Amino acid sequence: MEHLLIDAQIEQEILTIFQVQKANTQNLANTNTKERKAKLQKILDWTLLHEKEIGEALFNDFKKNPAETNIGEILGVVGEIKHLMKHLNSWMKPQSVPTPLNMIGTSAHVIFEPKGVCLIISPWNYPFNLSIKPLVQAIAAGNTIILKPSEMTPHTSALIKKMLSELFDKNEVYVIEGDSTVSQILLEQPFNHIFFTGSPNVGKIVMSAAAKNLTSVTLELGGKSPCIVDETANIKKSAEKIAWGKFINNGQTCIAPDYVLIHKSVENEFVTAMKSSIENMYGNDAKQSADYCRVVNNHHFNRLDNLLKEAVEKGANVSAGGQTDGSENYVAPTLLTDVNNSMKIMNEEIFGPILPIVSYSTNDEAITHIKSREKPLAMYINSGKESNIKYFMDNSSAGGTVINDCVIHYGHTEIPFGGVNNSGIGKSGGIWGFTEFSNQRAVMRQKFGTFKMIYPPYTPAVAKLIRFFVRWM
């Protein structure tokens, strides 16, 4: 009974906030560049002023080193806000378009108007970054926002609620905490846009709920992002970059390399280089390293521990790491060789510090392996041979691709970020994020022309004129 009462209170809170924000949408739609930039500046100032507090929240949730928080959580937010502020003037201006020959006498342009009331459901793996980054894009586009952060990172979620309640009235930005029950109630509301970051399975639930209200969605999902290392790659440099991209945030990164496809001629050299890179970053025992954070909770620790045990039982070889400790949600940086597709670890997104290594003999074999799975969120190509790079690019599809590095594309403000099909729908970041939260409204004006000559009745002369338009205009 008490549980039902709490649910009813939450539902009433959500309904009230939704209506309050809906009533405020036109006011925000009419805000100018200066007003929107002032809001972005407030978020930027608060973030920089509370850097230590943000670091403490992430440490309490993940045991994450403050330097890693700066890299993975704060740097991207600061860069995004500065980029939005730099370009917002030009993005908000009506975009002129040329007049085609058959439209002589008219003029047209495109304006970017806010979609309205937006819902952002953010994940636990980068809880500050993946809450605030889409938020500032939505604010730049002139929307009201309800933000639902993850209950799995309670310290960071509480900090975000404190931050945004200090900076905004509830009729513009509102944070509501809670579990999947809260998300369920939110998804029943007729939002104008939903931005969700999480797993493909939950993404399907979000998209299904959105369809009932014909709500547009941005889905930033995930999957098994492959990392190719061919026989011409610089093995030492590739290993350093892959080790960093895989084990930062304890492997809990949607664009982390999920598995490596290594040319069999350099497999041993690569494994040795990876071991060296892991040791250089985290020492002989990563458990004692202040630079190596933890799995977010015991549920995810058990999931990873089971994946590892099942792979070993089916013949995988632990070439590095393999140690686990449930009392600390600790999984060592782990390399697995001799893996095969019968293992769960090769069929599920790992989302943790375990890296399977699969050898291949030909480029076609590597591509066949990648194409046997859903299109990934990211793909990494390590090669010193342009013809190999071209082959891998021409014969694959991915949300994003980095050549001779790893995961860094997320921080690039001039390229879109997002997946394709199972790994995501829509793009974010920079102009793409602004556009995603905007309705591209076509505006056409009749100036001095007329189309009366093609109105009915369709006499032979009118029909002839229409045929002329069909053929020559």
Side-chain angles (χ1 to χ4, degrees), residues 170-472:
K170 64 183 180 182
N171 66 350
E172 187 168 351
V173 176
Y174 190 78
V175 178
I176 182 161
E177 297 178 272
D179 58 15
S180 59
T181 302
V182 174
S183 296
Q184 212 168 10
I185 297 170
L186 284 166
L187 289 171
E188 292 171 358
Q189 311 313 313
F191 284 95
N192 299 111
H193 189 74
I194 297 173
F195 190 108
F196 168 79
T197 306
S199 71
N201 286 338
V202 180
K204 292 174 184 177
I205 296 171
V206 172
M207 193 170 183
S208 178
K212 294 176 183 177
N213 294 304
L214 295 179
T215 298
S216 58
V217 296
T218 307
L219 304 178
E220 293 197 345
L221 308 177
K224 297 189 75 64
S225 295
C227 181
I228 300 172
V229 182
D230 77 6
E231 70 278 17
T232 69
N234 184 315
I235 299 301
K236 182 177 183 296
K237 289 183 178 179
S238 296
E240 289 171 346
K241 294 167 182 176
I242 294 166
W244 175 72
K246 178 63 179 179
F247 299 118
I248 189 173
N249 204 43
N250 209 242
Q252 299 164 122
T253 305
C254 58
I255 52 173
D258 192 88
Y259 62 98
V260 169
L261 284 164
I262 182 79
H263 193 276
K264 67 177 184 179
S265 66
V266 290
E267 180 178 9
N268 291 337
E269 182 185 355
F270 176 74
V271 171
T272 300
M274 282 293 294
K275 290 179 182 178
S276 177
S277 296
I278 292 168
E279 187 173 335
N280 288 339
M281 287 189 292
Y282 304 116
N284 292 324
D285 182 4
K287 191 175 182 181
Q288 306 305 318
S289 173
D291 303 322
Y292 188 68
C293 70
R294 296 295 186 262
V295 178
V296 67
N297 58 28
N298 198 245
H299 166 76
H300 282 284
F301 167 82
N302 288 330
R303 178 183 62 81
L304 290 166
D305 193 42
N306 289 333
L307 283 177
L308 179 58
K309 287 175 179 174
E310 193 255 6
V312 171
E313 286 170 3
K314 290 189 173 182
N317 178 52
V318 178
S319 295
Q323 300 85 4
T324 63
D325 182 351
S327 68
E328 290 190 21
N329 295 329
Y330 170 78
V331 178
T334 299
L335 305 178
L336 289 182
T337 53
D338 301 319
V339 295
N340 60 64
N341 287 334
S342 72
M343 301 169 183
K344 289 182 181 179
I345 205 161
M346 290 305 297
N347 292 282
E348 300 176 12
E349 183 179 9
I350 298 168
F351 223 68
I354 306 169
L355 184 63
I357 298 170
V358 181
S359 65
Y360 71 92
S361 300
T362 65
N363 291 348
D364 183 61
E365 184 184 344
I367 287 295
T368 298
H369 190 97
I370 292 169
K371 293 176 77 170
S372 68
R373 290 168 166 75
E374 299 278 6
K375 294 178 181 180
L377 180 57
M379 176 175 169
Y380 305 108
I381 302 169
N382 296 270
S383 176
K385 191 174 181 180
E386 285 301 321
S387 61
N388 281 357
I389 294 170
K390 186 177 188 304
Y391 178 85
F392 293 136
M393 287 293 298
D394 290 348
N395 291 280
S396 65
S397 177
T401 298
V402 180
I403 298 164
N404 291 326
D405 216 314
C406 197
V407 310
I408 59 171
H409 60 301
Y410 180 73
H412 199 307
T413 53
E414 298 286 357
I415 56 176
F417 179 83
V420 53
N421 299 132
N422 194 71
S423 57
I425 294 172
K427 303 295 180 183
S428 67
I431 180 65
W432 291 273
F434 173 83
T435 303
E436 199 79 359
F437 283 103
S438 301
N439 172 45
Q440 299 171 52
R441 184 175 181 177
V443 182
M444 186 173 174
R445 181 188 294 270
Q446 183 63 267
K447 295 163 68 177
F448 58 82
T450 179
F451 288 91
K452 188 175 180 179
M453 73 286 291
I454 60 172
Y455 293 174
Y458 298 121
T459 63
V462 172
K464 185 177 180 180
L465 181 59
I466 292 171
R467 285 198 302 272
F468 173 79
F469 282 138
V470 170
R471 290 176 178 272
W472 303 107

